[in-house]
Structures are given as structure tokens and as C-alpha cells.
Amino acid sequence: LLLLLLTAGSWSPGRRRPSPPSPPPPAPPPAAPGTSVRSPKRDRPGCCREPSLQHGHHRSLRWHIELQPWASPQHSLEDEAARFLVYISTTQVDCSEVAERGMTDRPEEMQDPWAVCLDNTFQLARQMQSQRCRIYSVGLRSGDRGFEEGMSVAGCEVHYLDPSVREAHLQQSQGYWHHRLALDWREPNPSTSDHHRAVSTKKLAAIMQRFGHSKIDVLKADVESAEWKILENLILENVVEDIGQLVLAVHLHWAGFEVSGSDSDVVRYWYSLLKELELRGFKLFRSYKNMSKPQVFLQREAFNASSSYTLSWVNTQWVQR
């Protein structure tokens, strides 16, 4: 038996014969819309295959954002809030064709507007005409799916991420998928495997890599006060460069998850994040103040502010590849 093992090149005591590395498997071609919903081994939809190579970003990663100078020498909340609220209420680029509620044919049934820019100056309209657009929508137990359904009917590939959906991956209709995924700004705990988690929690870069996507035409997100840390992660890891339009609900009634400091510090941090977006080429084209929500700013009725705004940006430096 020992002679046979040595002859076959297997391991023997005191001897190490590494086998030559096997070539990596070729990346599978993307599946056409309407193909199988699940992969029998990995329980993944036909749209989303594990890529063999990662796509990288050109800029180096950073550990923290650069805070903007204080609004005034007094570092007062009043001055910080005034600057911030003017900033989120002032559009920065003209969009000649704004779809206030996406492409839904039932706008009266949508609870809140989710505006996208269909101006031919930017990429989304052309991507939709060629049916090459891709939408990521992130929510928490939202029953309002008019935006997602409308964009899917218009020819976009839509991926709705919600930790409350029943199936890991479910195809609702041609080009429209639900995924039981939660968007996070942190790496998951390495001691807990995906198999033992009730919900898979990942950064956006990891989700895109898992699905084999290098670009997103529109990222729509309402993540209930996690938006600030998620936005910070997208900026620090340069993922914003791969997003064409960003439609984000921001919540101002409290600081948000893992945002600390005085109230003045918090508002300065919020403002600095949005200025980082502007420096990356993102221009605000729509601002919606939600008057149906409590009119509260950092737990106080002040500054004529709502607790919730929906902001829409277009990436003026974005090019689809």
C-alpha cells in the first residue's frame, strides 16, 4: 500500500509534494431575465451568480471622512442646523425630466415620492431605453413597492433588499427580485456564519460582489436612521463611484445609529457626509420635505424642520461600463 501511495504521488512521512494549483473556473455568463430563480446548491437567484474575480476601485480606502469647518466660531447648534437645512433644501443641478415616483402607473398609491432623473444629459434614461438599467432598493418591512414595480415594468433589473422578506431570493416577475438581505456599514461577525444567521447582513460592496454587479444605476434606500453610517461606508470604500443616482431618505429626529457627540457635532457630521458626496460629483436635483412625519429635529421642535426628507442626487461623473 505504501509503495502504491508513493508511486501515485500522495503524501508520505517527511515528504511534501504540493499538487499544482488548479486553474480558476471561468465566470458564468449572466443569466437572461426570466430564467431560473434559484441555484439548487446555493439558493441564489438566476440573476445573481458568485463572480470569480473582484472588481476594484481606483482610489485608496480611507478610515474617516474629512469634517467640514464649523458653520460659525460659536459651534452652535443653531448655526449648524441652519447651514445643513439650507443645504438639503437647495438643488444643485437642473433635471428637465424628473420622475417624482419612478415609473409607476399608480402614483396615488405610493406613500412617498422617490424621484429619479430621466434627463438625457445623464445615463439613466439611455440605460432604460436599452433595457440595461439596474436598480437596488433597500428597505425595512415596506409595503409600498410601487417604485420597484414601476422601474421593473420600464425595463430595469430591480433588486429589492429587505431582511423581512420570507425567501432568501425570490423572483417576483421578470427582472424583479426580492432578497432577504440587510444592508450594513460593518463587516458581519466572523464567528457567526451566514448559515446560522436568520438574516444575511452585508456591506453594499459585498452584495454587489456576490451578485456579480459592478455598477448600479439607482440606489434607493430607506434604512431608518442607519443611512448616515451606511453612506459613510459607501464614501470611505469608494462604492459611491459605482452608483449613478442615489435616492435616500434621511431621518433627523435623532443622531442615527453609532453617531455620537453633541448635537452640534452630529449636524456637522451630517453636513460633512453630504459635502463628500458633492466632492465626488453627486448633485442634488430633488429635495422632498415630508410634512406627514413629526416636525422634529434632534428631539426638539425647532428650525421649521421635518424629521424626514427624501433626497435625490445624480452622479455627474458616473459612466456606465
Side-chain angles (χ1 to χ4, degrees):
L1 176 60
L2 179 59
L3 179 60
L4 289 173
L5 290 173
L6 290 173
T7 304
S10 301
W11 177 86
S12 61
R15 185 179 182 183
R16 182 176 298 172
R17 285 178 86 172
S19 58
S22 58
T35 56
S36 61
V37 178
R38 301 177 190 280
S39 167
K41 290 186 178 180
R42 294 183 179 268
D43 192 34
R44 292 210 178 102
C47 67
C48 316
R49 306 294 181 86
E50 190 79 35
S52 59
L53 295 175
Q54 298 184 19
H55 66 280
H57 296 93
H58 300 297
R59 301 189 187 190
S60 59
L61 303 185
R62 293 184 293 157
W63 293 103
H64 59 83
I65 66 164
E66 297 295 330
L67 291 175
Q68 292 291 312
W70 289 97
S72 69
Q74 292 75 29
H75 301 183
S76 69
L77 175 61
E78 290 74 14
D79 292 334
E80 294 300 323
R83 176 176 68 171
F84 174 78
L85 291 170
V86 167
Y87 188 80
I88 66 171
S89 303
T90 306
T91 57
Q92 300 164 326
V93 67
D94 290 329
C95 176
S96 61
E97 187 173 352
V98 177
E100 293 286 352
R101 284 169 164 78
M103 300 299 292
T104 182
D105 58 355
R106 303 188 308 274
E108 69 282 354
E109 296 180 10
M110 289 183 62
Q111 298 171 5
D112 300 312
W114 298 95
V116 293
C117 180
L118 300 180
D119 191 320
N120 283 322
T121 305
F122 306 111
Q123 293 281 339
L124 179 60
R126 294 194 291 271
Q127 292 295 104
M128 291 176 65
Q129 290 166 7
S130 61
Q131 295 196 341
R132 295 174 53 199
C133 57
R134 178 178 296 125
I135 313 293
Y136 275 31
S137 176
V138 187
L140 297 170
R141 298 174 298 278
S142 173
D144 182 2
R145 308 283 171 78
F147 176 88
E148 293 78 12
E149 293 168 359
M151 296 302 286
S152 173
V153 170
C156 291
E157 174 189 321
V158 179
H159 298 272
Y160 176 70
L161 316 179
D162 186 339
S164 69
V165 300
R166 292 176 297 175
E167 300 286 342
H169 304 285
L170 179 64
Q171 186 170 5
Q172 294 293 106
S173 60
Q174 183 172 340
Y176 180 23
W177 288 266
H178 284 186
H179 308 282
R180 191 173 63 226
L181 287 169
L183 185 60
D184 206 339
W185 61 95
R186 304 156 296 191
E187 296 289 352
N189 188 334
S191 64
T192 307
S193 66
D194 281 349
H195 178 72
H196 291 91
R197 287 193 202 99
V199 174
S200 182
T201 301
K202 295 182 181 295
K203 295 180 181 180
L204 183 61
I207 295 173
M208 292 173 65
Q209 178 189 340
R210 180 182 184 183
F211 289 175
H213 298 157
S214 61
K215 292 282 184 178
I216 302 172
D217 291 272
V218 178
L219 173 62
K220 165 189 174 282
D222 184 358
V223 287
E224 303 294 344
S225 299
E227 63 271 7
W228 302 111
K229 297 303 290 184
I230 288 173
L231 182 58
E232 181 183 53
N233 170 256
L234 299 184
I235 292 169
L236 294 180
E237 295 190 354
N238 304 315
V239 183
V240 291
E241 297 176 0
D242 298 331
I243 299 171
Q245 295 189 29
L246 176 63
V247 188
L248 186 66
V250 298
H251 302 87
L252 311 182
H253 58 290
W254 71 296
F257 293 104
E258 293 193 9
V259 178
S260 59
S262 68
D263 287 347
S264 297
D265 292 325
V266 167
V267 182
R268 182 191 182 200
Y269 167 75
W270 290 347
Y271 176 73
S272 299
L273 279 176
L274 301 189
K275 287 295 288 185
E276 286 267 2
L277 274 182
E278 183 183 354
L279 292 172
R280 299 296 186 97
F282 281 79
K283 303 297 183 183
L284 188 70
F285 68 87
R286 182 70 168 90
S287 175
Y288 169 72
K289 179 181 180 181
N290 195 331
M291 299 301 293
S292 67
K293 300 291 186 180
Q295 304 301 290
V296 174
F297 187 91
L298 290 178
Q299 301 182 8
R300 52 172 63 83
E301 295 182 4
F303 314 121
N304 191 30
S306 173
S307 60
S308 178
Y309 291 75
T310 303
L311 308 177
S312 298
W313 292 267
V314 60
N315 184 351
T316 59
Q317 299 177 4
W318 189 77
V319 177
Q320 174 67 278
R321 291 196 294 265

